[in-house]
Amino acid sequence: SPSTGTVYLPFAGGRSQATKIEMASGSGDYASKHFGSLPIQLLAAQVGIEGFDKETAEELSVEVEFRLRQIIQVAAKFMRHSNRDVMSTEDVDCALRLWNVESLYGYSSQDPITFQKAEGYDDLFFIKDNEVSFQSLIEEEIPKCPPEPTFSIHWLAVEG
């Protein structure tokens, strides 16, 4: 049977409050309470993996949940050492770099990311993309080209 432990993540409610999260490590028939196997099964179907059974998804969800918690804990340390109460994408990026994982591209905005709930699923969310019509792109004015780079020499720079 897997061993369980308790992890307190201080970023959930500020410095005075902490969120208690039960963690599981090891293998066995433990089904993840927080992450679940449904996102793993949906992702496997999306990338075209056939014959992905529920037991494999449950085992993989435990590992994914454990790794995500490790990264969030390290990101929380970066947040605390920066004297902030809100975790930013830069904190997660620094935690990923510490684990030798490639940086996340496209999530460096200071604005909060809003998620929308997927229809038909209770715990599946996504980021909605803006729709752009090709007609508006064609009719849009082309931006001016930047000026050509030029070089000039000043006598103070040449003689010292």
Side-chain angles (χ1 to χ4, degrees):
S1 82
S3 62
T4 59
T6 304
V7 174
Y8 292 93
L9 299 177
F11 63 89
R15 292 181 191 268
S16 61
Q17 297 176 332
T19 301
K20 179 181 173 183
I21 295 179
E22 296 292 327
M23 289 186 64
S25 61
S27 61
D29 57 354
Y30 173 77
S32 177
K33 295 178 185 176
H34 302 284
F35 193 70
S37 63
L38 180 63
I40 301 293
Q41 289 174 325
L42 290 173
L43 185 62
Q46 184 179 6
V47 297
I49 299 174
E50 296 180 12
F52 200 77
D53 59 343
K54 188 173 182 174
E55 293 85 24
T56 306
E58 287 176 0
E59 288 292 322
L60 191 56
S61 69
V62 172
E63 183 67 24
V64 168
E65 183 177 348
F66 178 72
R67 297 297 174 200
L68 283 173
R69 286 197 175 134
Q70 280 183 329
I71 292 169
I72 289 172
Q73 286 173 351
V74 173
K77 289 179 184 179
F78 280 108
M79 177 197 69
R80 270 186 267 125
H81 288 291
S82 299
N83 295 327
R84 287 184 276 113
D85 292 330
V86 177
M87 186 179 293
S88 68
T89 55
E90 287 81 17
D91 297 328
V92 176
D93 194 36
C94 290
L96 288 173
R97 273 190 268 143
L98 192 66
W99 288 91
N100 293 327
V101 177
E102 187 176 351
S103 297
L104 296 174
Y105 299 107
Y107 293 102
S108 61
S109 174
Q110 296 296 332
D111 299 329
I113 299 172
T114 56
F115 293 92
Q116 289 188 344
K117 195 174 202 178
E119 294 180 18
Y121 299 99
D122 293 334
D123 56 355
L124 183 62
F125 297 87
F126 66 95
I127 301 170
K128 187 173 183 179
D129 292 329
N130 295 333
E131 293 182 10
V132 179
S133 67
F134 286 121
Q135 189 65 29
S136 66
L137 289 176
I138 293 171
E139 293 174 355
E140 191 174 286
E141 186 176 319
I142 299 174
K144 294 182 179 181
C145 292
E148 291 290 324
T150 58
F151 298 100
S152 61
I153 299 175
H154 195 271
W155 66 273
L156 284 176
V158 173
E159 294 181 7

